Amino acid sequence: MSQSRPVMQRTSSPLSLKEQAYGDLKRLILSGELPAGTVLSVRQLATQLEMSRTPVHAAIERLEADGLVALAPQQGVVVCELSIQDIANHYEIRQALEPYVMRRMAGRLSPEQIALLRDNQARNKAAVREQRIDDLVKIDAEFHQLICRFFGNDEIIDVMQRLSDKVYHVIYRITQKYPQRASESFDEHQAILDALESGEAEKASQLVYDHLEDGLRRFRPVDSL
């Protein structure tokens, strides 16, 4: 872990410190700065984050529930590794859910919802141009989550949120390995948005299925993932 990474200003609230520790550690894991297999102690993490062990330990418990870390006896905190099959399973769940959502939402977006998706695309375009990988991955996930949120099914929203954490670091590595994928993904999102606006239900459904399939296809051969 880089010692030069700036540390956020900490607040005195125990709840805030727990949230900050959780957010910081989660970002380090999902971005690959703490790669799979990394073993650290609570003390080391607390020192790195310039916090006491209490909020860090609480954050680790949440990360363990998320499936991002495991507690190994006599070793410490181990960053979990997701297998290619694990990630494939996540994509397949999304391929079952998102085409259905797109089909149902086609032609039903409000002007305010369309404005939010267009804003997402504008930010995506800027991030692609400037090759800001962290922002690219977040904005990409936001596009899908927004549409599912507009659909209004709390169970689907919950599933999408949980899956986004599992695939974030894989998408991050794909974007690093295939820089052109960011531009392609932007174009695919635009085609999906156009189909949703024009009420082309089957087209929107097929486009998002193909969009996810392309992501799945790209990381399957990458043994290091």
Side-chain angles (χ1 to χ4, degrees):
M1 187 186 303
S2 173
Q3 296 298 320
S4 63
R5 178 176 176 270
V7 178
M8 295 173 58
Q9 183 178 0
R10 305 303 178 189
T11 66
S12 59
S13 166
L15 180 59
S16 296
L17 287 174
K18 290 176 184 178
E19 291 295 332
Q20 289 172 20
Y22 174 73
D24 284 355
L25 291 174
K26 186 174 180 179
R27 280 190 294 273
L28 289 169
I29 293 168
L30 295 179
S31 68
E33 291 185 58
L34 284 179
T38 298
V39 181
L40 293 165
S41 69
V42 174
R43 179 182 56 78
Q44 287 174 306
L45 293 171
T47 299
Q48 176 65 29
L49 298 179
E50 296 187 356
M51 291 184 179
S52 69
R53 292 190 228 184
T54 299
V56 173
H57 191 273
I60 289 169
E61 289 181 344
R62 288 181 62 184
L63 292 168
E64 185 179 26
D66 292 342
L68 295 176
V69 302
L71 296 177
Q74 300 180 344
Q75 284 187 296
V77 183
V78 182
V79 179
C80 293
E81 181 173 6
L82 293 176
S83 70
I84 289 178
Q85 186 58 53
D86 290 331
I87 302 301
N89 291 343
H90 298 321
Y91 268 101
E92 287 168 2
I93 292 171
R94 291 182 64 189
Q95 284 180 311
L97 291 177
E98 292 193 55
Y100 171 76
V101 171
M102 300 298 167
R103 191 179 298 113
R104 293 290 303 275
M105 288 304 299
R108 295 176 54 195
L109 292 172
S110 70
E112 293 77 16
Q113 290 169 343
I114 291 172
L116 286 172
L117 290 169
R118 287 178 177 171
D119 175 71
N120 174 277
Q121 279 291 84
R123 289 184 286 114
N124 195 346
K125 186 174 184 178
V128 169
R129 183 176 60 250
E130 298 164 16
Q131 281 297 293
R132 290 183 276 112
I133 295 178
D134 284 344
D135 290 340
L136 281 169
V137 176
K138 292 174 185 176
I139 294 167
D140 183 290
E142 180 188 276
F143 180 86
H144 295 265
Q145 290 165 358
L146 276 173
I147 299 171
C148 288
R149 197 182 312 150
F150 297 156
F151 183 51
N153 185 308
D154 290 341
E155 295 299 323
I156 290 177
I157 292 170
D158 182 63
V159 169
M160 287 293 295
Q161 183 59 49
R162 286 187 285 111
L163 291 180
S164 68
D165 288 345
K166 299 291 186 179
V167 302
Y168 181 100
H169 64 302
V170 175
I171 297 173
Y172 191 97
R173 285 166 173 75
I174 292 172
T175 305
Q176 286 184 312
K177 187 174 181 64
Y178 304 101
Q180 74 278 10
R181 179 58 189 152
S183 178
E184 294 168 358
S185 183
F186 169 83
D187 291 340
E188 291 164 12
H189 281 193
Q190 188 59 54
I192 292 167
L193 178 54
D194 291 343
L196 288 172
E197 285 193 67
S198 61
E200 298 174 272
E202 292 306 319
K203 182 178 182 180
S205 177
Q206 187 62 51
L207 283 171
V208 78
Y209 183 92
D210 292 343
H211 173 66
L212 294 169
E213 183 65 23
D214 190 67
L216 178 61
R217 177 181 60 80
R218 284 177 184 270
F219 78 74
R220 276 192 185 278
V222 184
D223 294 336
S224 62
L225 296 179

